Amino acid sequence: MTITQPKSLPSALKLLAAALLLSLAATPLQAQDWAKARLDASPRHHEYVPLKHGDRTVQAFVVYPEVKTKAPVIVLIHEIFGLSDWAKEMADELAAQGFIVVAPDLLTGFGPNNGGSDSFTSMDATTKAVSGLDAAVVTADLDAAADYAKKIPAGNGKIAVAGFCWGGSKSFAFATHRKDLSAAFVFYGSGPSDVTNITAPVYGFYAGNDARIGATIPATTEAMKAAGKKYEPVTYDGAGHGFMRAGEAPDASPANKAAREQGFTRLVTLVKAMKPAPVAANPTHNKTLVAKKSAAPATLCHDSSMQMADSM
């Protein structure tokens, strides 16, 4: 028996496919079920802390390790995708290694109805908001997070900053501003134009298949060397931009998975070996100016097609 398909089926399928794509495009990157499931299953203590500076309050996600001794504190700077489920899950994983993690939501107050990262309804809206953040506001928020980190009773006085993608560039930039850091960890982020004020050692984590960021490494290496600063970049062959997130996703490629595992091990080893900051105080950091809008938006970490691919 021959079954004749209705002539309208191809059109219906096209409409269904278009609807599915539209649905995916409108789904926020925060809805990473695999990351959220791991975070929800964590035995560690999570809390949200309001960090006030001037007339602004930024919310921070704070995770504590299950240890008896005092621990170093990591200020974690999220990707261009905001304080997503993955960013919080990354903070939790670092806490599992014995560190306290303070992850400020740098979109606090800039979302719909004055919300933060969770208030955005699409990746496109989130990335546009992050890329449009004023650099002075970001620095002031990070200062508030670092100031809070210094006062945590369970902290041992050692503070590091670690950033990913857009946050990687911000981590490097923050090291030029903040003098009491024990280390700065830069995951696939570009270096600042002026590195002369850096006092902490900077460690870079880069992807072999990331031509845009990879092309900046030689000049950054030369600038850090000329300024007499410690800079140790490592490139993971075959990995793509964003491998710390993509490498632990259920559909991770072998190269991204290997880079993620090696990068995480290196990060943990370096944090455990950190020395006290060369400068104990940073009296000028609180002079950071706060503004709400930037005249020059930051460069996006991914184009729109890569954003969609990485979120699926």
Side-chain angles (χ1 to χ4, degrees):
M1 180 176 66
T2 301
I3 300 178
T4 303
Q5 296 288 351
K7 291 183 179 180
S8 61
L9 184 58
S11 297
L13 286 175
K14 289 179 181 178
L15 288 172
L16 177 61
L20 287 173
L21 286 174
L22 184 62
S23 175
L24 285 172
T27 301
L29 189 76
Q30 289 92 327
Q32 296 161 328
D33 292 341
W34 54 271
K36 188 175 187 304
R38 294 176 189 176
L39 188 65
D40 290 344
S42 169
R44 284 164 290 282
H45 177 74
H46 306 149
E47 63 185 27
Y48 286 92
V49 177
L51 307 178
K52 296 183 179 180
H53 61 90
D55 60 356
R56 174 166 165 74
T57 298
V58 59
Q59 294 294 324
F61 179 73
V62 182
V63 192
Y64 285 86
E66 296 180 317
V67 295
K68 293 181 179 180
T69 58
K70 292 190 174 184
V73 184
I74 300 173
V75 175
L76 187 149
I77 310 177
H78 56 67
E79 299 174 292
I80 201 167
F81 303 121
L83 190 65
S84 63
D85 288 329
W86 175 78
K88 289 182 281 190
E89 190 263 337
M90 182 77 233
D92 182 78
E93 284 194 77
L94 288 170
Q97 298 300 315
F99 316 131
I100 302 168
V101 183
V102 178
D105 182 358
L106 300 172
L107 284 175
T108 300
F110 298 117
N113 299 314
N114 296 316
S117 292
D118 290 343
S119 68
F120 290 89
T121 58
S122 71
M123 288 186 298
D124 185 58
T126 303
T127 57
K128 284 182 179 179
V130 173
S131 66
L133 288 175
D134 187 277
V137 177
V138 171
T139 301
D141 285 352
L142 294 177
D143 270 331
D147 289 344
Y148 176 80
K150 290 181 68 174
K151 298 175 183 177
I152 295 176
N156 66 5
K158 298 178 184 178
I159 305 171
V161 61
F164 306 83
C165 176
W166 174 87
S169 298
K170 291 301 181 183
S171 177
F172 216 144
F174 194 54
T176 70
H177 163 78
R178 189 87 189 190
K179 307 300 182 184
D180 53 356
L181 298 175
S182 289
F185 302 100
V186 178
F187 286 84
Y188 27 88
S190 56
S193 57
D194 185 359
V195 300
T196 55
N197 289 330
I198 292 176
T199 57
V202 179
Y203 303 94
F205 302 71
Y206 303 100
N209 295 343
D210 187 5
R212 183 179 66 86
I213 294 298
T216 69
I217 299 175
T220 299
T221 301
E222 183 60 32
M224 290 289 280
K225 181 179 179 181
K229 311 300 180 180
K230 183 174 182 178
Y231 175 56
E232 296 182 359
V234 171
T235 297
Y236 300 93
D237 291 339
H241 187 90
F243 62 79
M244 288 301 289
R245 171 172 42 80
E248 63 173 326
D251 60 349
S253 69
N256 280 340
K257 184 176 181 179
R260 195 268 173 197
E261 292 174 350
Q262 293 169 27
F264 187 79
T265 298
R266 180 183 178 224
L267 172 61
V268 170
T269 300
L270 289 169
V271 174
K272 289 182 176 179
M274 284 192 318
K275 297 179 180 179
V279 180
N282 199 45
T284 61
H285 73 76
N286 59 3
K287 295 181 181 179
T288 301
L289 297 177
V290 177
K292 285 203 171 182
K293 292 187 179 180
S294 172
T299 303
L300 295 181
C301 284
H302 306 269
D303 61 30
S304 58
S305 61
M306 291 180 70
Q307 290 172 13
M308 180 62 70
D310 283 351
S311 69
M312 298 173 67

